[in-house]
Amino acid sequence: LGIPSALLLAQPNTSTTMLIIATGVAMYFVAGAPWRDFGILALIALIAFSAIAVTRPYVLTRIDTFFHPSENALGSGYQIQQSLIAIGSGGLFGRGFGQGVEKFNYLPEPDGDSIFAVFAEETGFVGAALLLALFLALAARGIVIAGKSREMFGGLVALGFSFMIILQAFINMCAMLGIIPLTGLPLPFISHGGTALMAALIMCGFILNVAARRKSA
């Protein structure tokens, strides 16, 4: 993971780096790594994240905005404030498809990392819950495929890609809800961006390839 992480950090793209490392760690422990290694990796990750936060001011700004989102509502806290307004105004069933208001010059990146807020405004709590259920079902299916793989390599591939998709979705949704600091990660399959969509579809292709070679019933 060292080479791709170094390349991503050089961009800089801290959030994607953390996503890839978290996926690699999950695969490592599913493969049978001892819990002792988990403590060592957690300590290394804490030191590395602290170094990144100190050397990159925007990371500290996002963390500060997470703890004090209303202190600079027109600056660093503007996106999360507008996101919460959009999600809250959706109510139970939403404003209706295409009837959202926040996407018009209010919510930054409405077709990118903020698209979940637009979706929740237009479809409401019911639509957002259904979207979450679909992501969970996709991840659960990937885990089942991983468990039925004929070989450990195929199982870890299916598990890793399933974990990466669901983790990225959770990070995006939680950031828009103010549960974690803003990251800029897109919502898989939904956010605008051909490269992100292509990567997600390639991951699903690998998972389906493992499913086609699963153990016989």
Side-chain angles (χ1 to χ4, degrees):
L1 295 174
I3 294 176
S5 297
L7 294 174
L8 287 169
L9 287 174
Q11 290 190 26
N13 193 339
T14 307
S15 55
T16 303
T17 304
M18 296 176 64
L19 175 67
I20 291 177
I21 291 177
T23 302
V25 171
M27 295 171 65
Y28 179 56
F29 284 100
V30 170
W35 283 101
R36 175 197 61 193
D37 291 0
F38 181 79
I40 297 174
L41 290 175
L43 180 60
I44 294 174
L46 180 62
I47 296 173
F49 181 77
S50 300
I52 292 173
V54 171
T55 56
R56 296 183 175 173
Y58 75 91
V59 177
L60 283 177
T61 300
R62 289 184 178 182
I63 295 174
D64 182 67
T65 301
F66 169 69
F67 287 106
H68 309 95
S70 60
E71 286 190 358
N72 191 6
L74 297 179
S76 59
Y78 180 77
Q79 184 173 5
I80 184 61
Q81 292 291 326
Q82 295 301 318
S83 173
L84 294 176
I85 291 173
I87 295 173
S89 63
L92 185 60
F93 297 105
R95 295 178 179 271
F97 184 73
Q99 302 302 311
V101 176
E102 285 292 321
K103 61 185 178 184
F104 296 112
N105 298 323
Y106 294 103
L107 184 63
E109 300 294 335
D111 58 350
D113 53 301
S114 297
I115 199 167
F116 175 72
V118 177
F119 183 85
E121 181 184 12
E122 297 186 357
T123 63
F125 174 80
V126 173
L130 177 60
L131 180 63
L132 177 61
L134 290 174
F135 274 114
L136 288 173
L138 177 63
R141 184 58 184 164
I143 293 173
V144 171
I145 292 173
K148 292 183 178 180
S149 174
R150 291 182 179 180
E151 55 199 16
M152 178 175 286
F153 177 79
L156 290 176
V157 168
L159 175 73
F161 285 143
S162 300
F163 181 84
M164 180 175 288
I165 292 173
I166 190 63
L167 180 60
Q168 182 174 339
F170 275 167
I171 289 174
N172 179 278
M173 294 178 184
C174 290
M176 290 297 98
L177 290 167
I179 300 175
I180 63 174
L182 293 172
T183 62
L185 284 175
L187 187 60
F189 307 111
I190 299 177
S191 291
H192 174 77
T195 304
L197 178 60
M198 181 180 68
L201 292 176
I202 289 174
M203 287 189 283
C204 288
F206 275 105
I207 296 173
L208 290 174
N209 186 278
V210 175
R213 293 165 172 79
R214 63 184 182 273
K215 297 175 182 176
S216 58

